[in-house]
Amino acid sequence: MRRRPGHSARLKLALSYAGFLFVAGTLLLAVMWVFVLRWLPAEDPRSIQEKYGAVIIVGPNRSDLLRGFAPAAATALALLLVLGLLGGWFLAGRMLAPLTRITDAARMAGTGSLSHRIRMKGRQDEFRELSDTFDSMLDKLESHVAEQQRFAANASHELRTPLAISRTLLDVARKDPTQDRGEVIERLHAANSRAIELTEALLLLSHGDRGTLTRESVDLSLIAEEAAESLLPLAEQRRITLDVTGGEARTSGSAELLLRMATNLVQNAIVHNLPTGGTVTVHTEAHGDTSVLRVENTGRRLPPELVSTLTEPFQRGAERVRTDEHVGVGLGLAIVNSIVRAHDGTLDLVPRPAGGLVVTVRLPRPP
């Protein structure tokens, strides 16, 4: 069912202005009638003089004044109506000009062009606030779309590698019957395991970005201890000291996702560390209405420009050997960042002057 086009806002405002002026003029004439014309006699002053023989000052009666005043009043009301329409149309056009710019920008954004900005000048009013809010929304949309496109390209590239390896191994095994099947199976298992690990990480990242959480009260200190206990064998294998300090730090959220967040942080701190003799410290504490989880490790020095990109998907802080059991897929900190955002928290990464990284997660405490 098609909707009939309605009147424009500019026309409605113009009619409103004209109607207001017309009503104001009518009220003015009514006031004149009540407070001026009612004091004039209804009869002709000459007839009053003849009837009562009184000497009075002869002047117009009410009917004379009405005959002379009514046309002038009607003309004045007509002029007020015309001036109201013209002035209202002009003023409404000036008042609604910012809305036209915002509408044009919204129409361009609807066609897929997210680079256009309104950047309205002038004093801070409702239209300026709407314009600034719209520009901010376009900034976030453009950034989100660019991030999603980059993420899709990186994900396709990362998934293509293990799939291409699997196809190559199968082609070689089919063409060379003498190929050691055990070696082929082992290499296929490694390639498929990497593809499965990447797929699970992508699903977890998507789940965290949706922000649909079943919230419950969670103690970050218990989460940190559980993550450290599960990764203690890896730390011992690499001769890295792993310590958990601090006290209770409660927040509200998904215990499963928060455990994955802490596990990723501790695993990254172990893997990206000194070859031997390194340390990893996991600390939890509560500050006012914020619960803090801090993971600090030793390692090589990281330039600030590299640290700022570590939460991007498929970004790695160091080159690692592909045969490493914990090589990862470059989504560890991206998943952490996604989980933190889903819990309305903040994630800070600061390089240590002596080498290594300090990662601080701040989450709101439950009321």
Side-chain angles (χ1 to χ4, degrees), residues 71 111 144 161 167 177 217 239 255:
T111 61
H144 181 71
T161 300
R167 185 176 64 181
S217 180
R239 299 180 183 178

Side-chain angles (χ1 to χ4, degrees), residues 210-267:
R210 286 198 303 267
T212 53
L213 304 175
T214 302
R215 295 184 177 270
E216 57 182 312
S217 180
V218 180
D219 186 357
L220 292 180
S221 63
L222 300 180
I223 293 292
E225 290 178 0
E226 185 175 352
E229 184 178 355
S230 64
L231 292 169
L232 184 60
L234 176 62
E236 293 176 345
Q237 177 186 347
R238 293 174 177 260
R239 299 180 183 178
I240 291 175
T241 303
L242 176 59
D243 292 326
V244 179
T245 63
E248 182 181 87
R250 290 200 167 272
T251 187
S252 178
S254 168
E256 179 184 358
L257 289 179
L258 291 174
L259 177 60
R260 182 59 183 265
M261 174 196 72
T263 302
N264 282 6
L265 289 176
V266 176
Q267 180 174 329

Side-chain angles (χ1 to χ4, degrees), residues 110-168:
T111 61
S113 175
L114 300 178
S115 59
H116 178 71
R117 298 293 181 272
I118 302 172
R119 295 188 177 91
M120 188 175 297
K121 306 296 183 181
R123 65 182 61 184
Q124 190 73 26
D125 56 8
E126 289 82 357
F127 292 118
R128 175 72 182 277
E129 184 178 359
L130 177 61
S131 170
D132 293 344
T133 302
F134 193 82
D135 283 345
S136 176
M137 181 191 70
L138 286 179
D139 287 336
K140 293 179 180 179
L141 280 176
E142 186 178 24
S143 175
H144 181 71
V145 169
E147 180 182 350
Q148 291 300 317
Q149 291 175 346
R150 186 168 60 253
F151 176 80
N154 290 332
S156 301
H157 175 75
E158 293 286 336
L159 279 172
R160 183 173 58 187
T161 300
L163 295 177
I165 293 174
S166 299
R167 185 176 64 181
T168 301

Side-chain angles (χ1 to χ4, degrees), residues 44-305:
D44 189 344
R46 296 182 185 87
S47 64
I48 297 177
Q49 185 178 9
E50 293 174 356
K51 182 185 296 184
Y52 297 102
V55 177
I56 63 172
I57 299 175
V58 177
N61 64 356
R62 188 178 300 176
S63 61
D64 293 335
L65 192 59
L66 282 177
R67 282 194 298 271
F69 179 71
T75 303
L77 285 178
L79 286 176
L80 282 176
L81 185 60
V82 173
L83 289 176
L85 287 172
L86 295 178
W89 182 263
F90 175 74
L91 291 176
R94 296 208 38 162
M95 291 293 295
L96 295 177
L99 278 183
T100 303
R101 294 181 58 187
I102 296 173
T103 302
D104 293 339
R107 189 177 293 111
M108 293 181 65
T111 61
S113 175
L114 300 178
S115 59
H116 178 71
R117 298 293 181 272
I118 302 172
R119 295 188 177 91
M120 188 175 297
K121 306 296 183 181
R123 65 182 61 184
Q124 190 73 26
D125 56 8
E126 289 82 357
F127 292 118
R128 175 72 182 277
E129 184 178 359
L130 177 61
S131 170
D132 293 344
T133 302
F134 193 82
D135 283 345
S136 176
M137 181 191 70
L138 286 179
D139 287 336
K140 293 179 180 179
L141 280 176
E142 186 178 24
S143 175
H144 181 71
V145 169
E147 180 182 350
Q148 291 300 317
Q149 291 175 346
R150 186 168 60 253
F151 176 80
N154 290 332
S156 301
H157 175 75
E158 293 286 336
L159 279 172
R160 183 173 58 187
T161 300
L163 295 177
I165 293 174
S166 299
R167 185 176 64 181
T168 301
L169 290 173
L170 290 174
D171 290 341
V172 170
R174 184 177 58 183
K175 295 177 181 179
D176 186 6
T178 62
Q179 182 78 16
D180 186 359
R181 291 187 176 182
E183 180 183 356
V184 173
I185 292 175
E186 186 65 28
R187 296 177 65 182
L188 279 174
H189 180 269
N192 288 338
S193 297
R194 180 169 179 78
I196 292 172
E197 180 184 357
L198 176 59
T199 303
E200 290 177 346
L202 290 173
L203 290 174
L204 183 59
L205 184 62
S206 173
H207 179 73
D209 283 336
R210 286 198 303 267
T212 53
L213 304 175
T214 302
R215 295 184 177 270
E216 57 182 312
S217 180
V218 180
D219 186 357
L220 292 180
S221 63
L222 300 180
I223 293 292
E225 290 178 0
E226 185 175 352
E229 184 178 355
S230 64
L231 292 169
L232 184 60
L234 176 62
E236 293 176 345
Q237 177 186 347
R238 293 174 177 260
R239 299 180 183 178
I240 291 175
T241 303
L242 176 59
D243 292 326
V244 179
T245 63
E248 182 181 87
R250 290 200 167 272
T251 187
S252 178
S254 168
E256 179 184 358
L257 289 179
L258 291 174
L259 177 60
R260 182 59 183 265
M261 174 196 72
T263 302
N264 282 6
L265 289 176
V266 176
Q267 180 174 329
N268 278 353
I270 295 173
V271 172
H272 298 280
N273 213 310
L274 298 175
T276 57
T279 62
V280 174
T281 303
V282 185
H283 181 76
T284 57
E285 60 183 359
H287 278 306
D289 57 354
T290 304
S291 294
V292 178
L293 169 66
R294 183 180 299 109
V295 179
E296 181 176 356
N297 73 324
T298 53
R300 69 183 184 91
R301 292 183 178 179
L302 299 174
E305 59 271 15

Side-chain angles (χ1 to χ4, degrees), residues 4-13 15 89 96:
R4 291 182 298 176
H7 299 298
S8 65
R10 186 177 185 181
L11 178 58
K12 292 178 180 178
L13 286 175
L15 291 175
W89 182 263
L96 295 177

Side-chain angles (χ1 to χ4, degrees), residues 32-44:
M32 292 183 63
W33 170 263
V34 172
F35 292 98
V36 177
L37 297 181
R38 72 173 182 172
W39 297 107
L40 295 175
E43 299 182 42
D44 189 344

